[in-house]
């Protein structure tokens, strides 16, 4: 493995973990890829390789899927095993995992910051606590997944009820923007509902997930119930999505790859849920509390460096307050301290990878070439690392690439609207292939709620943006996805419903 000096600010345990030998979790054991191949993990603040992790391929995926299959069909996780793990015990295992994560919160936050680039201060208060909270919330659901009884009208005397049963073996594929939190969103509900899992981490950010795998072992999940793989999308993600012994695949990532997942799933018609891209509008009405709207819409796009599927990347502002809002958001953009995630002064770290750096700066160039103007940021080359300054583009028009496509970086396109006709404003807000989220900024509760009903997206925030809770369903309309993450809703995506009727 390429060894580079890790940042001296890191706790020694974190450094040791990063530079240690990494293994995947398959069938309750930590193993290398069968081929012995590894893939490099980069530090986005420096562009240097800081770790190597196994590069899983189809054979490794098959091993993991078969282990999950055995665990579901035969092991103590099976509903019918003599020594079966009860719903209450499943909940306790999830709570134990959450407790262990809490004990290691600082280490997990450091790993997240090193791997993804995000400020440690953010990982510490957002990513890790939200992931812990999600496991606790889902632990509570383990004993509350129930069916119904039905007064049926078929002639005769019958008792009819439904059972909610786990789907079986679930393949899960996650991205790099919130590595630990995305793992929690996926594992929590699947395990609470009694499924077994093969989770593939993002190749850019495998470290916190591998540490989570150790904590899962420590918590005492039976072998094969959770399998965690590292590998590339085509090499490991694709064979997982197409595997015949997988009953369901849950994917979070780009809309482009989401479509490939759907195709890959057709072989055995496995169930599919997708949480995909977005191009979320943040809509500011002239009566909004402008200080809050400016700070809120800036954070809507710049939080996590714009690497959020629900980032408020289209800033729509009424023309009466447009200049003031754009100036305010641009000032905030200019004031954001960009630097290494471990630096306590840093408010925005680097983008996750060279690929993302090239993609985001390419979009900025494309916007400027098409006639947009940068009132903050724009292309600025750093000596090393994948740093992009928060950027505000004005004079954008609805047909520009920067307005239509997901950039997934700290770049917002500002556009004025002139109308008080909320149907027309909603049409403009809905003019996107995506429908993940939106925010509406106004003090008029009637306008706010009328807009909330007209916007075609899975989340609408009023006078806020990026507010998440384990209890709230999250997911997309249109090409932003299928199904929902979190809340009670997600459990529908991890259970089958069986109707049982008895002639009495
Ligand atoms: P991003 O563009 O944000 O990197 P992707 O959609 O490319 O997001 O990746 C999200 C996840 O999907 C990653 O874990 C990646 O390895 C995986 N992936 C990429 N391509 C494929 C594929 N063809 N089949 C299955 N998984 C894939």
């Amino acid at each position: 493995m390429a060894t580079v000096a890790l940042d001296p600010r890191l706790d020694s345990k974190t450094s040791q973990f990063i530079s240690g030998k990494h293994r995947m979790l398959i069938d309750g054991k930590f193993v290398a890829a069968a081929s012995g191949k590894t893939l490099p993990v980069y530090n986005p603040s420096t562009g240097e390789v800081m770790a190597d992790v196994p590069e899983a391929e189809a054979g490794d995926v098959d091993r993991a899927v078969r282990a999950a299959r055995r665990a579901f069909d035969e092991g103590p996780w099976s509903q019918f095993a003599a020594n079966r793990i009860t719903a209450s015990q499943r909940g306790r295992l999830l709570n134990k995992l959450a407790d262990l994560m809490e004990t290691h919160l600082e280490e997990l936050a450091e790993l997240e910051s090193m791997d993804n680039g995000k400020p440690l201060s953010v990982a510490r208060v957002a990513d890790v606590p939200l992931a812990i909270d999600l496991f606790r919330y889902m632990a509570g659901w383990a004993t509350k997944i129930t069916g119904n009884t039905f007064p049926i009208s078929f002639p005769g005397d019958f008792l009819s009820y439904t059972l909610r049963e786990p789907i079986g073996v679930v393949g899960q594929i996650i991205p790099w923007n919130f590595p630990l939190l995305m793992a929690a969103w996926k594992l929590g509900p699947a395990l609470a509902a009694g499924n077994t899992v093969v989770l593939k981490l993002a190749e850019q950010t495998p470290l916190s997930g591998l540490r989570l795998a150790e904590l899962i072992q420590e918590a005492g999940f039976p072998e094969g119930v959770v399998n965690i793989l590292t590998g590339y999308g085509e090499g490991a993600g694709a064979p997982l999505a197409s595997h015949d012994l997988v009953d369901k695949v849950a994917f979070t990532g780009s809309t482009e790859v989401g479509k490939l997942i759907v195709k890959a799933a057709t072989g055995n018609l496995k169930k599919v849920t997708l949480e995909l891209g977005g191009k979320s509008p943040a809509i500011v009405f002239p009566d909004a509390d402008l200080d809050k709207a400016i700070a809120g819409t800036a954070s809507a796009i710049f939080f996590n460096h714009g690497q959020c599927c629900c980032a408020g990347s289209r800033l729509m502002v009424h023309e009466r307050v447009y200049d003031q809002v754009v100036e305010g958001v641009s000032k905030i953009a200019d004031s954001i301290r960009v630097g290494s995630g471990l630096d306590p002064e840093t408010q925005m770290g680097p983008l996750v990878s060279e690929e993302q750096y090239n993609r985001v700066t390419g979009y900025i160039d494309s916007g400027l070439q098409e006639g947009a103007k940068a009132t903050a940021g724009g292309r600025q080359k750093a000596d090393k690392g994948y740093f992009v300054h928060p950027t505000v583009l004005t004079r954008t028009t609805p047909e520009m690439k920067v307005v239509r496509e997901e950039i997934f970086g700290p770049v917002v396109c500002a556009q004025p609207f002139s109308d008080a006709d909320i149907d027309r404003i909603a049409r403009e807000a809905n003019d996107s292939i995506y429908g993940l989220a939106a925010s509406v900024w106004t003090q008029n509760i009637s306008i706010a709620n009328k807009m909330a009903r007209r916007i075609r997206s899975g989340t609408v925030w009023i006078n806020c943006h990026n507010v998440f809770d384990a209890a709230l369903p999250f997911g997309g309309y249109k090409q932003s996805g299928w199904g929902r993450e979190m809340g009670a809703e997600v459990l529908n995506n991890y259970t089958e419903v069986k109707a049982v009727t008895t002639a009495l």
Side-chain angles (χ1 to χ4, degrees):
M1 191 202 75
T3 39
V4 293
L6 288 171
D7 199 300
R9 287 170 291 197
L10 282 178
D11 188 275
S12 60
K13 272 217 205 98
T14 313
S15 298
Q16 263 169 28
F17 180 79
I18 295 175
S19 44
K21 191 135 190 91
H22 295 289
R23 301 279 195 218
M24 308 182 285
L25 178 59
I26 299 181
D27 206 9
K29 288 169 204 68
F30 285 94
V31 296
S35 67
K37 283 199 221 166
T38 59
L39 64 87
V41 182
Y42 296 90
N43 174 349
S45 289
T46 61
E48 291 168 337
V49 175
M50 60 176 171
D52 291 316
V53 298
E55 183 188 337
E57 294 176 319
D60 304 294
V61 171
D62 186 60
R63 254 194 310 162
V65 169
R66 286 179 191 280
R69 189 79 259 168
R70 275 194 305 278
F72 185 80
D73 293 337
E74 300 159 24
W77 204 253
S78 146
Q79 297 180 77
F80 310 111
N83 59 340
R84 85 192 158 91
I85 288 188
T86 63
S88 156
Q89 286 167 326
R90 285 206 305 275
R92 263 183 275 158
L93 281 168
L94 287 166
N95 270 324
K96 178 135 189 238
L97 176 60
D99 291 343
L100 287 169
M101 290 170 74
E102 199 142 53
T103 307
H104 297 283
L105 192 151
E106 186 66 13
E107 182 189 355
L108 291 167
E110 286 190 342
L111 288 174
E112 211 66 330
S113 173
M114 284 297 285
D115 211 2
N116 168 280
K118 66 181 68 200
L120 175 57
S121 55
V122 172
R124 198 183 268 148
V125 299
D127 297 66
V128 187
L130 284 172
I132 293 170
D133 209 44
L134 190 287
F135 279 120
R136 292 221 165 101
Y137 173 86
M138 290 301 165
W141 268 115
T143 48
K144 296 166 197 71
I145 299 170
T146 56
N148 291 306
T149 55
F150 299 84
I152 65 166
S153 303
F154 196 87
D157 193 7
F158 298 96
L159 170 64
S160 290
Y161 61 90
T162 47
L163 293 171
R164 297 263 307 278
E165 299 180 334
I167 295 180
V169 175
V170 178
Q172 305 184 316
I173 300 171
I174 57 170
W176 45 259
N177 57 343
F178 293 91
L180 188 71
L181 186 58
M182 292 300 101
W185 281 21
K186 290 279 181 275
L187 291 172
L191 295 171
N195 300 277
T196 58
V197 173
V198 178
L199 170 72
K200 191 198 85 66
L201 306 170
E203 58 269 34
Q204 299 86 347
T205 53
L207 296 179
S208 59
L210 289 177
R211 185 69 183 103
L212 183 70
E214 294 183 347
L215 299 180
I216 285 169
Q217 282 296 88
E218 198 177 331
F221 284 85
E223 62 190 30
V225 169
V226 185
N227 303 273
I228 298 192
L229 304 180
T230 49
Y232 291 110
E234 276 178 30
L240 181 58
S242 64
H243 202 295
D244 277 348
L245 296 180
V246 171
D247 299 299
K248 179 216 160 89
V249 62
F251 170 78
T252 297
S254 60
T255 291
E256 191 189 346
V257 174
K259 291 178 183 176
L260 296 177
I261 299 285
V262 171
K263 281 197 192 127
T266 54
N268 68 342
L269 286 181
K270 58 175 65 67
K271 311 294 184 261
V272 180
T273 46
L274 306 167
E275 201 258 280
L276 307 175
K279 194 75 190 175
S280 301
I283 308 160
V284 184
F285 284 87
D287 72 320
D289 175 331
L290 287 189
D291 288 342
K292 287 191 180 141
I294 288 168
T297 55
S299 154
I301 179 66
F302 299 134
F303 175 65
N304 210 42
H305 326 166
Q307 301 172 137
C308 301
C309 42
C310 54
S313 52
R314 286 187 294 145
L315 177 59
M316 295 173 54
V317 190
H318 191 276
E319 59 185 4
R320 278 218 309 277
V321 292
Y322 178 80
D323 289 342
Q324 195 181 338
V325 171
V326 167
E327 191 189 326
V329 173
S330 304
K331 255 198 198 138
I332 292 175
D334 284 336
S335 74
I336 289 174
R337 284 188 297 273
V338 177
S340 154
L342 292 188
D343 186 336
E345 301 287 303
T346 291
Q347 293 170 307
M348 187 185 282
L351 299 190
V352 71
S353 64
E354 188 172 11
E355 187 186 348
Q356 281 306 112
Y357 175 85
N358 291 335
R359 175 192 162 97
V360 173
T361 51
Y363 270 112
I364 295 174
D365 290 347
S366 137
L368 296 175
Q369 272 157 22
E370 285 191 272
K373 180 172 170 258
T375 56
R379 193 191 243 286
Q380 293 166 25
K381 185 88 190 93
D383 298 342
K384 58 175 188 173
Y386 314 129
F387 297 95
V388 171
H389 283 265
T391 295
V392 180
L393 296 179
T394 57
R395 294 193 199 151
T396 52
T397 54
E399 59 289 345
M400 284 183 184
K401 252 173 70 150
V402 280
V403 175
R404 303 215 71 77
E405 297 178 14
E406 184 177 43
I407 298 176
F408 223 66
V411 182
V412 66
C413 298
Q415 283 170 270
F417 62 86
S418 56
D419 219 287
D421 174 353
I422 59 166
D423 286 312
R424 192 181 311 198
I425 298 164
R427 264 201 303 281
E428 217 174 289
N430 288 332
D431 180 20
S432 169
I433 61 165
Y434 298 111
L436 192 58
S439 58
V440 180
W441 300 81
T442 173
Q443 299 196 58
N444 182 323
I445 54 165
S446 174
I447 287 185
N449 287 287
K450 282 181 177 173
M451 284 299 293
R453 286 167 52 181
R454 282 163 176 73
I455 288 172
R456 291 183 43 73
S457 66
T459 293
V460 177
W461 286 294
I462 297 172
N463 295 325
C464 57
H465 200 111
N466 284 337
V467 175
F468 285 97
D469 192 279
L472 280 175
F474 180 77
Y477 284 33
K478 301 193 268 181
Q479 294 191 35
S480 287
W482 292 351
R484 293 292 178 270
E485 307 283 333
M486 299 195 290
E489 259 79 6
V490 70
L491 296 163
N492 296 331
N493 300 146
Y494 283 106
T495 47
E496 294 273 23
V497 178
K498 180 182 284 173
V500 181
T501 294
T502 312
L504 295 174

